[in-house]
Amino acid sequence: MTDSGLPTSEHLEHLETDTIADLLENLLPAPEAHRAREHVKACPDCQLTYDALLQLSEDLADEGRSDIPMPADVAEHLDAVISAEAVRRASTVGVHSLAQIREEPHRHIPKLLGAAAAVVLIAAVGVGVVMATKDRAGENVANTNPTAILPTGVVSLTTAQIAPQVQQTLEGSSGVVLNASANEVSCAKSFAATRPNPEVRLVQPARIDGTRATILGLQGGSPRDIQVFVLTGCDAGGTTGTSIYDTTVTLRNR
Amino acid sequence: MTAHLDSGTNPPAQLPRIGQHDPVAQQVPVLQHGGYDQLDDHELLRLHVAGNPDTFGFLVKRHRDRMWAVAIRTLGEPEEAADALQEAFISAFRRADSFRGDAKVTTWLHRIVVNACLDRIRRRQVRQADPLPEDEDRAAELAGPVEQDAAEVRERRLDVLNALKQINPDQRSALVLVDMEGYSIEEAASILGCAPGTVKSRCARGRARLLPLLRQWQTTRGGDSDLQDKASETAAGIMGTE
Ligand SMILES: [Zn+2]
């Protein structure tokens, strides 16, 4: 190897890396390719470059086989956008038929932030109500303020999305979020009354894996813990909720 | 998380514990946790086209790290990559019914992602000649959560991403397709909308540009830092100017 890396008289002139790379891709015209090949054979420096270029392709292939974990914020946002799109589809055509949606002329791709906002909106459409913490003590807080209960959008979620959804909704509020109709709320509250700690933080109508259900959030043991139940039987005028799924969510703040 | 059945009228003495398995839960059809895990890509996509609101999101989750790798390597900038992926996935969501069942879903998705990235590159080239600003903090974050991979894997990943960022986008997209993603020259040519010879040439020039940028990475594995420095000097010397 030369110290300077500059061409030496010993080999007349070194090949440029471009030329060696072209040689490897068979891009050189025959006479030039021949000369280049002879030079590489005779010149250790250029041979080194030649080998390094070969190795580079292999290393890139190696690296290319590995995934790169999507940053959490990007993933979260993407989930939100996809959920919003699913909700949009469901609401546009009642149910399904992609073909119909595709004919719809003025659909738009939600922009990065707009879409996030849209999903938050869906999460808390009409924002049922966010009540001050002090009101929470009142057992029938919803009934004392009827305007607080709005029959709102049904959030469509997978089982895995329940916890993040609850987290997202409650982290934005210090109080009680009641996004359901009065009947659904009261049905959920009857269920809550059977729990050791019946303090209601959230009632959210939802479609979980396709099934109409009610997400009920109860205050857990610590102020940041929310005991989550997914109830069936509280929609459509039902009065007895049955828990089909439960989990605990820990809020990051408050 | 555990699916848990209990009756609202007959409260258990204790709150149910996470991880506690209740055999009755197995009979709940729709809420079995992770039920979609069992479904293959084709089935998820089929259900999506049939109107299931959740399966597409599940498909996205399953493949997002792969697609993120493609987007971030092709575009270099996380913001751009996130935008491109969002466009790609929404587009895939909407035209899922045009998916042909005989292909692999990942191949189809991959192609949509690549096209979304290339669209952005073209738009960016029209818009501006300046390179995008560097963002070192963000770059480090791109290498993924610290606990997830060995330090050397992260370092290597970052080196490649940073080096790719420094070469011309046409060369970069050709190299990502051919060398990193394993597309044939012909496939890459059809994706890029140019002649196979152009793809070869972009790959060759791209490798020549990358070499000095990654030479250190290559020789580091030999463990001789003196040699390393010399090698990159030499490479830089040989490189000359464009
Ligand atoms: Zn030489």
Side-chain angles (χ1 to χ4, degrees), chain A residues 190-205:
Chain A
S190 317
F191 177 87
T194 68
R195 309 304 307 179
N197 187 353
E199 191 180 341
V200 174
R201 290 290 309 275
L202 170 73
V203 178
Q204 172 70 54

Side-chain angles (χ1 to χ4, degrees), chain A residues 83 86-87 122 154-158 161 205-210, chain B residues 53-54:
Chain A
S83 301
V87 169
I122 289 153
V154 176
V155 183
S156 184
L157 301 168
T158 64
Q161 289 169 332
R207 194 168 288 283
I208 311 286
D209 291 338
Chain B
D54 306 317

Side-chain angles (χ1 to χ4, degrees), chain A residues 7-8 11-16 20 39-40 42-47 49, chain B residues 238:
Chain A
T8 62
H11 297 291
L12 300 174
E13 208 167 87
H14 282 306
L15 299 173
E16 291 194 6
I20 301 175
H39 177 102
V40 169
C43 170
D45 279 5
C46 289
Q47 180 72 54
T49 305
Chain B
I238 292 171

Side-chain angles (χ1 to χ4, degrees), chain B residues 105-177:
Chain B
V105 173
T106 43
T107 308
W108 173 74
L109 268 182
H110 196 284
R111 183 72 179 258
I112 294 173
V113 168
V114 166
N115 282 329
C117 292
L118 295 175
D119 277 352
R120 294 197 86 78
I121 290 177
R122 289 182 200 116
R123 272 182 265 155
R124 194 204 282 168
Q125 282 171 339
V126 171
R127 240 180 19 239
Q128 52 166 26
D130 311 327
L132 288 160
E134 301 255 342
D135 187 342
E136 291 297 333
D137 290 347
R138 191 64 178 164
E141 186 190 320
L142 276 180
V146 175
E147 65 280 8
Q148 204 157 326
D149 299 296
E152 58 189 289
V153 172
R154 286 168 48 80
E155 203 170 307
R156 179 181 152 124
R157 178 181 294 159
L158 257 186
D159 284 348
V160 174
L161 287 176
N162 283 332
L164 282 169
K165 262 170 88 165
Q166 293 176 55
I167 70 175
N168 135 352
D170 287 334
Q171 296 171 351
R172 181 170 65 222
S173 37
L175 265 186
V176 169
L177 286 175

Side-chain angles (χ1 to χ4, degrees), chain A residues 22 67 85 110 244-246, chain B residues 1 31 66 86 94 205:
Chain A
D22 284 355
D67 295 351
E85 182 68 11
I244 54 169
Y245 176 86
D246 66 71
Chain B
M1 280 190 279
L31 283 172
R66 173 98 290 259
Q86 181 178 316
R94 289 175 181 170
R205 297 307 160 95

Side-chain angles (χ1 to χ4, degrees), chain A residues 72 76 163-164 167-171 224-225 249-254:
Chain A
E76 228 167 85
Q167 222 166 9
Q168 188 186 358
T169 308
L170 288 182
E171 271 171 5
R224 286 166 46 205
D225 283 347
V249 170
T250 302
L251 304 181
R252 279 170 292 212
N253 46 21
R254 282 181 231 281

